[in-house]
Amino acid sequence: MSTLRPLPIPSSRWHGGRRYVAGALMVAATFAAGIFLIPGVGVLAPPALTAQNLHQDPDVARFFADTFPSGNPALMARTSERIPHLLDAARTRIARDFAERPPVHRLLLHTLAEVCLNLSYYEGTQRALADSAALATAHRMGDADADAQHALLRARLAVETGRASAALAELDSFLGNHVSTPISPEQMVYLRLQRLRALEDSGRGRQARPQAEALLADTEKHLGTQSLAAARVGVLTARLRSAASEHAAARTLVERSVYQLRRHFGETHPELAQALLAAGMVEYHDGQRVRALALGNAAAEILERMADRQTRRLHLIQRNLGILNAQAGNHAAAERYLREALATARAIHAPEHPDVAASIYNLAYFDWRVLHNPGEAMPLMREALALGEKSWGPMHPDTSALRVNLARVFNELQLFDATRELLTDRLPTMETPVCAVGTRIELARALAQSGDIPAARPLLAQARENMERVSKQSQKQLESDFRDVQSIVNATLSVNKLALEPRNASRKVVGDEGLALPGHAH
């Protein structure tokens, strides 16, 4: 982890199906217009009563007028304090007034679940997600799209609360049990998209990449290249392409996705801000820092107009703005955004949430790499690692990345015993080559500095053998670290050899050719 690491930016995390308020606002706005449409539901009532004419039922009309007096459920429940009251009242009313009318009861529960889901995209509270999952009584409905929505809600709740593995299990179980069930193309796209975000959040971005490309092709085929779903899948796929150093392909895709999001949402939408930041990170990883910062500033302008200040979307925007400004040398702005991101994460999440750990780490990295103050960074990095081990697990790629950078801080402060204690028996597998190679190099450094050359040399050999598996983006720094440790080992070997041969001190010392990087001279 040689740069500040942004958490993956979701197009809804940041890292579900992302219908946003397309459903919720349609429920409200079209109701006011006299056209009550519910995406993905279709006709759920007897022939005499359909989704299209449900509003003509006086009891239903009275329910919506009482529940959403402003005519817009999204505006009624913009704050987390309002959402529980709104939903409790709606559930009570549905149970009381429509229990004896199963088609209407079912349709209203499904509608309210859709409103909650879309509010959760807009407002970002975990309570909204929990309520929407509870409201979606899909498994009792026997409707494929309703079942899909229920799985999507539960998976998104798991991701937002830092349980990406649980989200994967939820979605894999649903998709495995509904292989032959007809599900609408749009619903299937969002299920697969949420699964990819959970896969990415669980540290398996390489595994997600080919699946994202396949999903993008399917989405464009079934929903169209200009659909909102295609734009959202495009942002994710562009991010994964950039991580694989395919910067030109990533840029083309993210620019197209940003254009489509502008067309759907206008210029001031939070989801557009996230996409602009994703585009900025693509430019940054391609070395285009001026363009990256310009995109970050465009996202910042949207951020300043956001009314909701306690959402995960806000937190993710703040974090990535901090990262872009740090890399551009705007230290004051970077520190402000990073501290705001941490404050927002702590306000909306439990203390052990991965977002909190990642935000603390970013501040620590800023102190260490940008301000060159490893002493200030060390306690923050310790705290981030402790949280990461609880939230991600001890051998998760993000936890391993935190651990190797803490080892770098220890080594910089010449706390070599601390490095040995931190890394011994904690070597990550080569499934995550950056962490695996970096960990072996830093442990070898601590061992070499402590004089334990026999233990350091096999670690360097393992690092050298797997260097080619590391992305080009990370390889330069790791090669520099490798050569640095190799020089320590060779110098120690030379001193030891001279000590053993005092009478031949003028004799040329042969270095340890076995530790050279491929293509690099001693």
Side-chain angles (χ1 to χ4, degrees), residues 493-507 509:
L493 289 171
S494 298
V495 170
N496 291 344
K497 193 165 188 176
L498 286 171
L500 290 172
E501 301 179 10
R503 297 179 182 178
N504 299 303
S506 61
R507 181 179 170 187
V509 176

Side-chain angles (χ1 to χ4, degrees), residues 318-384:
Q318 289 168 332
R319 279 181 52 192
N320 285 279
L321 281 171
I323 292 166
L324 284 176
N325 277 278
Q327 302 296 352
N330 299 332
H331 296 171
E335 185 170 8
R336 174 170 64 87
Y337 282 125
L338 291 173
R339 292 193 181 280
E340 287 177 354
L342 177 57
T344 303
R346 282 178 163 155
I348 65 176
H349 293 311
E352 301 83 15
H353 194 282
D355 284 359
V356 179
S359 290
I360 294 171
Y361 166 73
N362 277 344
L363 268 176
Y365 193 98
F366 179 77
D367 283 338
W368 172 40
R369 286 295 205 195
V370 179
L371 300 184
H372 307 292
N373 194 341
E376 292 289 331
M378 185 174 66
L380 286 173
M381 208 167 282
R382 281 183 182 273
E383 182 183 1

Side-chain angles (χ1 to χ4, degrees), residues 4-15 18 159-160 164 196-205 208 235-236 239-240 243 274-275 277-278 281 285 312-313 315-317 319-320 323 354-355 358 362 392 396 398:
L4 285 164
R5 178 189 181 277
L7 193 66
I9 304 175
S11 57
S12 70
R13 47 137 160 338
W14 209 16
H15 209 349
R18 312 313 190 218
V159 169
E160 294 289 330
L196 287 174
R197 290 195 176 111
L199 199 63
E200 189 182 34
D201 271 9
S202 65
R204 287 178 274 177
V235 172
L236 171 72
R239 189 166 64 244
L240 294 172
Q274 288 182 294
L277 280 171
M281 296 310 298
H285 289 310
R312 190 167 189 244
R313 173 176 281 135
H315 155 71
L316 301 171
I317 292 174
R319 279 181 52 192
N320 285 279
I323 292 166
D355 284 359
N362 277 344
W392 289 311
H396 186 280
D398 287 345

Side-chain angles (χ1 to χ4, degrees), residues 86-102:
L86 176 71
L87 299 180
D88 289 345
R91 279 201 303 272
T92 301
R93 182 76 178 271
I94 290 173
R96 185 189 69 197
D97 295 349
F98 300 98
E100 297 181 359
R101 301 177 63 186

Side-chain angles (χ1 to χ4, degrees), residues 7 15 24 32 39 47 81 106 115 125 132 147 149 161 164 217 224 265 272 348 354 377 390 394 468 472 505 520:
L7 193 66
H15 209 349
E81 292 78 14
R106 175 177 177 235
V115 170
T125 64
S132 60
D147 281 355
Q149 184 195 42
T161 52
F265 291 135
L272 176 62
I348 65 176
K390 291 180 180 178
E468 295 300 325
K472 294 179 180 178
H520 293 276

